Amino acid sequence: MNQEIPECLLRPCGWLASPGQHGDLVVSSRVRLARNITGLPFSHWASSSDLSQIAETSLLAVQDCPSMNGATVLPVEPLDSLDRKYLVERYLISRELAESGMERYAVVGRNEMVSIMVNEEDHLRLQVLTSGLSLREAWQRLNLLDDELEERIYYAFSPVYGYLTACPTNVGTGIRCSVMVHLPALVMTQRIKKVLSAVTQMGLTVRGLAGEGSEIAGNLFQISNQWTLGASEEETIEKLENIIQQIVDNERKTQQDLWVESRTSLEDKVWRAFGLLSHARVLNSREALELISQLRMGLDLGLMKGIPYSAINDVIIQSRPAHLQKRAGKKLIATERDAIRATFLRDWIRRYTEKEINRIHES
Amino acid sequence: MNQEIPECLLRPCGWLASPGQHGDLVVSSRVRLARNITGLPFSHWASSSDLSQIAETSLLAVQDCPSMNGATVLPVEPLDSLDRKYLVERYLISRELAESGMERYAVVGRNEMVSIMVNEEDHLRLQVLTSGLSLREAWQRLNLLDDELEERIYYAFSPVYGYLTACPTNVGTGIRCSVMVHLPALVMTQRIKKVLSAVTQMGLTVRGLAGEGSEIAGNLFQISNQWTLGASEEETIEKLENIIQQIVDNERKTQQDLWVESRTSLEDKVWRAFGLLSHARVLNSREALELISQLRMGLDLGLMKGIPYSAINDVIIQSRPAHLQKRAGKKLIATERDAIRATFLRDWIRRYTEKEINRIHES
C-alpha cells in the first residue's frame, strides 16, 4: 500500500509566501523543540509496544492542540522512498525520520509552518518555519504549541537540567534555532571564511541547504545554535538574531564594495546566470542552485526587478530532485532529472522575463 | 600624419555577403599567387631605391588592370598600429606586411574580394577571397587578374621551375589555396585528430582563424596546400576541393550521429551559447568565438533559424579586437574590449531573437 502525499503538500510552501524581515538575504528561520513523554523510554531503545504507546499518546495530544487545527497526520511507514525524500526537501521531516518506519509520524499544520515529528530521536520534535529573519515570531508560535502540548502530555523534565532529551546536546531548553542566509558577496570575496570561523567560535554551527551533513551550495548557509543549557529560549534567539543581523550587514556592505570595485564583472555574473537559466537544456542540482544564487544577487543589486524573493525561495525547493519527480509523477534517473530541471527553470523564469526584466535588460 | 582607413573598408566584408557552396560548414575560400618583377631583387634584400622602384612599377601596373578598377591604394607606412591590425583581421594584409613600413602597399578591390600586397615577402601577392567552398571561382578571378598584370609587368619566371619567389616553398605555380572550415562535431567527438593527421599526410597545412601561427579556436580550421611544384593550379585546386568535400561530408555525418546519440546535450550546448551571447557582459575573443561556433552548429542542426551564415561569418570578423576598437573610435585595453565585445554581440543577436529564434525557442 503506497500512501500518497496529500494534495495540500504538493503546492508551493505556504510559509515562504511572505518575504519576512531581511527577506533579500535571509531565506528562512526555523525553531524546533525536543520533547519527550515522561515514564516512556526514548524512541531509540523503545520496544515496539513502547513506540506504539508514544505515538498514540503524542498523536492524541497533538491533534487536540488548537495550534494544530486542520493538520495532516502522515505515517512514515507506508510512504515510498520518493515521498519521504519529498518531505525532507520541504523541511517537514528529517533524514533520520525518513529512514525509519513503524510508529513514526509527521504531523503537518496548515501552510506547513508548524510541524511535528513523532518518534524521531525524541518522542516529539516540534518546529516552526517562517520566511526571512523571524526567529521571535517563530518562537512565539512554537512556544504556544509547546504550552498547548504541555497541558496534554507530561513532559520529561528535570528541575535541575530542564527538558530531558535523547541526546545530551539537547538537554535544557531543547531548542534549536536555525537561520538560512544567502551570502554571495562574502563567498565571492572569500571574506566568508572569517565570518564562519567567528560564528563557530561563538558556539554556532553552519550547514548547507539540506541541513546536517549537507554540502554548502548556492551560497546558502544554515546557521544554528549549539547550546541548550545556561541560556533561556529568549536569550538564545536574541543572540542568534544579533549575529545574523551582523552577518547580513556585512554581506550588504560587501555587495556595495563589489559594486564599486567590479561592477561589470558582477553584472556579467548575474546576466550569465540569467542567460543560462533561460536557455540551458540540462542543469544539475548544484549548477541550478549556483545560478539561482547569482540571479538572486542580481535582485539584491537592483540589476533586475520583478522576481519576488519568495519566488526564488520557492524555486530552490521546487527544483530539488524529489520535487521534480513528484511533479513528473514518476522516478527519474539523474540525467532525466537534469533535463526536466532545466525545462522547469526555463518555464519558471519565462514567467518573469515577459514582464519587468526584459524592460530593464533593454535599458 | 595618420592616414585613416577609408570609409568603404569600415563596412561588413562584401565578399562574405553571399553564402557560397557548403556555406553552412565552409566559411571562405582564398587563393593567392606570389609574383615578382624580373630584374629587381626580392623585397627582403632590396635597397630602399629598389623597393621604391618595385612599388612604383607594381602600383602603375595594378591600377591599370581592369580587375582592379575602383580599387583603393593604402600605403602601410602612415597607418597606425590599430589600422594595421584592422586590415590583418579583414585578411587584406599579412601580419608580415603589417609590421613593415616604407614602400609597402595594400591595394584593395571593390568588395575586398580581390586584393594585392606590394613588397611583402614577394614583390606582389595577389589574392581573391570568396565565401563558401569556391576555389574555382576564386581561381578564375585571380587568373584573370594575373593575366592582366602579366601584360603590364615582366614576371620573374623560369621555364624549368616556373614563377620564381623569395621563398623556395612558393616556387612553381606560386599558388596557395586555403579553405576555412567549421568542424564542431568532429572536434566534439575528437575525430578531428584523425582527420587532421590524414590531411597533413596529404601535404596540406592546417592553421587557425588568424592564419599562420594562430591557435585553433571556435572549431575553425584553415586548410591549405603546401605544394607549388609538380602540379598545375587547376590540379591543386581540384585536389584541395575534393579533400574539403570529404571533410565536410564527415562533419555532416558526425553531426547526424551526435544528434541521434546525444541530442539533449547538443541542444544544451547550443542554447547555452545562445543564452550567454544574449546576456553576458564580458566576453573575451576566445570565448566569443567558441559561443559563435556553437550557435552556428545550432543552425546546422536546425535547432534555430533566421540567422544567415553570412551574418555569422561577418560577426566573427566584427568582434575581433581591432574591429571593436575601430568602431569605438579609440584604443582599448583588453578588459574594455571584452566588455564592448559582449555589448556588440548582445546587440547583434537581439536583431535576430526578436524575430524567428524566439518563435522556435518557444516551441
Side-chain angles (χ1 to χ4, degrees):
Chain A
M1 190 194 80
N2 176 14
Q3 155 123 9
E4 284 285 312
I5 299 278
E7 195 55 36
C8 62
L9 296 184
L10 296 176
R11 283 172 263 161
C13 305
W15 59 274
L16 273 175
S18 66
Q21 209 201 351
H22 300 304
D24 51 344
L25 299 180
V26 183
V27 176
S28 58
S29 299
R30 174 173 166 269
V31 186
R32 71 106 170 108
L33 292 173
R35 295 289 185 260
N36 290 278
I37 304 166
T38 195
L40 285 168
F42 291 128
S43 309
H44 280 177
W45 47 88
S47 67
S48 59
S49 79
D50 288 337
L51 285 174
S52 163
Q53 200 188 328
I54 297 160
E56 197 185 327
T57 311
S58 301
L59 291 176
L60 270 173
V62 165
Q63 288 177 291
D64 192 43
C65 291
S67 289
M68 297 306 285
N69 191 10
T72 305
V73 178
L74 281 168
V76 173
E77 205 262 323
L79 295 174
D80 67 16
S81 65
L82 180 56
D83 282 348
R84 292 174 189 214
K85 279 181 200 142
Y86 179 85
L87 295 175
V88 171
E89 285 178 1
R90 281 176 102 80
Y91 304 106
L92 295 175
I93 64 172
S94 62
R95 274 184 279 185
E96 191 174 331
L97 196 76
E99 281 157 18
S100 69
M102 294 287 285
E103 302 299 348
R104 321 281 166 159
Y105 293 86
V107 188
V108 182
R110 277 178 309 194
N111 280 341
E112 303 168 47
M113 197 182 269
V114 184
S115 60
I116 298 174
M117 289 187 286
V118 175
N119 275 326
E120 208 248 21
E121 187 180 291
D122 295 293
H123 295 165
L124 290 151
R125 285 280 179 104
L126 330 175
Q127 79 165 4
V128 171
L129 273 166
T130 50
S131 61
L133 183 57
S134 46
L135 289 172
R136 283 165 228 265
E137 188 205 344
W139 166 241
Q140 275 175 358
R141 281 178 186 268
L142 192 59
N143 196 22
L144 180 69
L145 171 63
D146 188 39
D147 289 347
E148 290 172 2
L149 267 178
E150 204 152 17
E151 288 169 16
R152 291 162 176 84
I153 284 175
Y154 289 106
Y155 279 155
F157 184 83
S158 141
V160 178
Y161 299 113
Y163 291 98
L164 299 177
T165 54
C167 176
T169 58
N170 288 310
V171 168
T173 55
I175 200 170
R176 171 148 301 160
C177 309
S178 307
V179 178
M180 178 103 72
V181 278
H182 181 238
L183 307 173
L186 289 173
V187 171
M188 225 178 281
T189 55
Q190 304 199 2
R191 295 190 201 166
I192 192 72
K193 287 180 194 163
K194 220 173 141 190
V195 171
L196 295 185
S197 118
V199 156
T200 311
Q201 276 172 24
M202 282 183 280
L204 300 172
T205 18
V206 181
R207 301 191 175 96
L209 174 72
E212 211 154 335
S214 74
E215 250 189 313
I216 301 295
N219 305 312
L220 290 167
F221 298 84
Q222 193 172 301
I223 300 173
S224 341
N225 69 301
Q226 278 288 66
W227 65 86
T228 50
L229 277 169
S232 72
E233 293 86 346
E234 286 79 6
E235 285 164 352
T236 297
I237 284 169
E238 198 186 329
K239 189 173 168 195
L240 185 56
E241 280 224 348
N242 285 343
I243 293 168
I244 298 293
Q245 180 72 58
Q246 282 174 41
I247 295 174
V248 162
D249 291 346
N250 198 341
E251 168 66 22
R252 265 195 243 286
K253 169 84 173 59
T254 308
Q255 287 195 6
Q256 284 161 10
D257 292 352
L258 273 179
W259 184 246
V260 173
E261 288 158 24
S262 41
R263 175 173 171 160
T264 308
S265 134
L266 273 189
E267 289 182 325
D268 187 51
K269 224 179 243 298
V270 167
W271 285 110
R272 277 173 184 256
F274 176 79
L276 291 177
L277 283 169
S278 305
H279 296 288
R281 293 317 197 240
V282 180
L283 283 170
N284 66 32
S285 284
R286 197 178 178 88
E287 188 184 10
L289 213 49
E290 295 299 333
L291 296 176
I292 295 168
S293 164
Q294 283 149 18
L295 194 73
R296 183 178 198 127
M297 190 178 60
L299 296 170
D300 296 348
L301 296 166
L303 280 174
M304 45 181 81
K305 280 179 189 163
I307 307 180
Y309 284 106
S310 58
I312 301 267
N313 295 340
D314 182 52
V315 89
I316 292 172
I317 294 177
Q318 300 298 337
S319 57
R320 290 176 71 187
H323 274 71
L324 292 170
Q325 293 172 86
K326 278 303 278 182
R327 269 198 312 278
K330 57 182 174 188
K331 289 199 181 180
L332 301 166
I333 59 169
T335 54
E336 292 170 327
R337 289 202 301 270
D338 293 350
I340 64 160
R341 182 179 292 109
T343 305
F344 171 72
L345 287 167
R346 219 156 61 237
D347 290 344
W348 175 78
I349 210 163
R350 197 176 295 154
R351 271 180 255 164
Y352 302 101
T353 52
E354 278 158 13
K355 294 183 290 181
E356 282 287 334
I357 280 186
N358 256 345
R359 203 179 48 74
I360 290 171
H361 181 219
E362 301 291 332
S363 69
Chain B
M1 189 196 77
N2 175 16
Q3 155 122 7
E4 284 286 314
I5 298 279
E7 195 56 34
C8 62
L9 296 185
L10 296 176
R11 283 172 262 159
C13 305
W15 59 275
L16 272 176
S18 66
Q21 209 201 349
H22 300 303
D24 51 344
L25 298 179
V26 184
V27 176
S28 57
S29 299
R30 175 174 165 266
V31 186
R32 72 107 169 106
L33 292 174
R35 295 290 185 259
N36 291 278
I37 303 165
T38 195
L40 285 168
F42 290 129
S43 309
H44 281 176
W45 47 89
S47 67
S48 59
S49 79
D50 288 336
L51 284 174
S52 164
Q53 200 188 327
I54 297 161
E56 198 185 328
T57 312
S58 301
L59 291 176
L60 270 173
V62 165
Q63 288 176 291
D64 193 42
C65 291
S67 289
M68 297 306 284
N69 191 12
T72 306
V73 177
L74 282 167
V76 173
E77 204 263 325
L79 295 174
D80 66 15
S81 65
L82 180 57
D83 282 347
R84 293 174 188 216
K85 279 181 199 141
Y86 180 84
L87 295 175
V88 171
E89 286 179 358
R90 281 175 101 81
Y91 304 105
L92 295 174
I93 65 173
S94 63
R95 275 185 279 186
E96 191 175 332
L97 197 78
E99 280 157 20
S100 69
M102 293 287 286
E103 303 299 350
R104 320 282 167 159
Y105 294 86
V107 188
V108 182
R110 277 179 309 195
N111 281 341
E112 302 168 49
M113 197 181 269
V114 184
S115 60
I116 297 174
M117 290 188 285
V118 175
N119 274 327
E120 206 245 24
E121 188 180 289
D122 294 293
H123 295 167
L124 290 150
R125 285 280 179 105
L126 330 176
Q127 80 166 2
V128 172
L129 274 165
T130 48
S131 61
L133 183 57
S134 46
L135 289 172
R136 283 164 227 264
E137 189 204 342
W139 167 242
Q140 275 175 359
R141 282 179 185 267
L142 191 59
N143 196 22
L144 180 70
L145 172 63
D146 188 39
D147 289 348
E148 290 172 4
L149 267 177
E150 203 153 17
E151 287 169 18
R152 292 162 175 86
I153 284 174
Y154 289 105
Y155 280 157
F157 183 83
S158 140
V160 179
Y161 300 114
Y163 292 99
L164 299 177
T165 53
C167 176
T169 58
N170 288 311
V171 168
T173 54
I175 201 171
R176 172 149 302 161
C177 308
S178 307
V179 178
M180 178 104 70
V181 277
H182 182 237
L183 307 172
L186 288 173
V187 172
M188 226 179 280
T189 54
Q190 304 200 2
R191 295 190 201 166
I192 193 71
K193 286 180 193 162
K194 221 174 140 189
V195 171
L196 295 184
S197 118
V199 156
T200 312
Q201 276 171 25
M202 282 183 280
L204 300 171
T205 17
V206 181
R207 302 189 173 97
L209 174 72
E212 211 154 335
S214 74
E215 251 188 312
I216 301 294
N219 305 311
L220 290 166
F221 298 85
Q222 195 172 298
I223 299 173
S224 342
N225 69 301
Q226 278 287 70
W227 65 87
T228 49
L229 278 169
S232 72
E233 293 86 345
E234 286 78 6
E235 285 164 351
T236 297
I237 285 168
E238 198 186 329
K239 189 173 168 193
L240 186 56
E241 280 223 349
N242 285 344
I243 293 168
I244 298 293
Q245 181 71 58
Q246 282 174 41
I247 295 174
V248 162
D249 291 345
N250 198 342
E251 168 66 21
R252 264 194 244 285
K253 169 81 174 62
T254 308
Q255 287 194 5
Q256 284 161 9
D257 291 351
L258 273 178
W259 184 248
V260 173
E261 288 158 23
S262 42
R263 176 173 170 162
T264 307
S265 135
L266 273 189
E267 288 181 327
D268 187 52
K269 225 178 244 296
V270 167
W271 285 110
R272 277 173 184 255
F274 176 80
L276 291 176
L277 284 169
S278 305
H279 297 288
R281 293 314 198 243
V282 180
L283 282 172
N284 66 33
S285 285
R286 196 177 177 87
E287 189 184 7
L289 212 49
E290 294 298 334
L291 296 176
I292 294 168
S293 164
Q294 282 149 18
L295 193 73
R296 182 177 199 127
M297 190 177 60
L299 295 171
D300 296 348
L301 296 167
L303 279 174
M304 45 181 80
K305 280 181 191 162
I307 307 179
Y309 285 106
S310 58
I312 300 268
N313 294 340
D314 182 54
V315 89
I316 292 173
I317 294 177
Q318 299 298 336
S319 57
R320 290 176 72 186
H323 274 71
L324 291 170
Q325 292 172 84
K326 279 302 280 184
R327 269 197 312 278
K330 57 182 174 187
K331 289 201 182 180
L332 301 166
I333 59 168
T335 54
E336 293 171 325
R337 289 202 300 271
D338 293 349
I340 64 159
R341 182 178 293 109
T343 305
F344 171 71
L345 287 167
R346 219 157 59 237
D347 291 344
W348 175 78
I349 208 163
R350 196 175 296 153
R351 272 180 255 162
Y352 301 101
T353 53
E354 278 157 13
K355 292 183 290 179
E356 281 287 332
I357 280 189
N358 255 345
R359 203 178 49 74
I360 290 171
H361 181 219
E362 302 290 333
S363 68

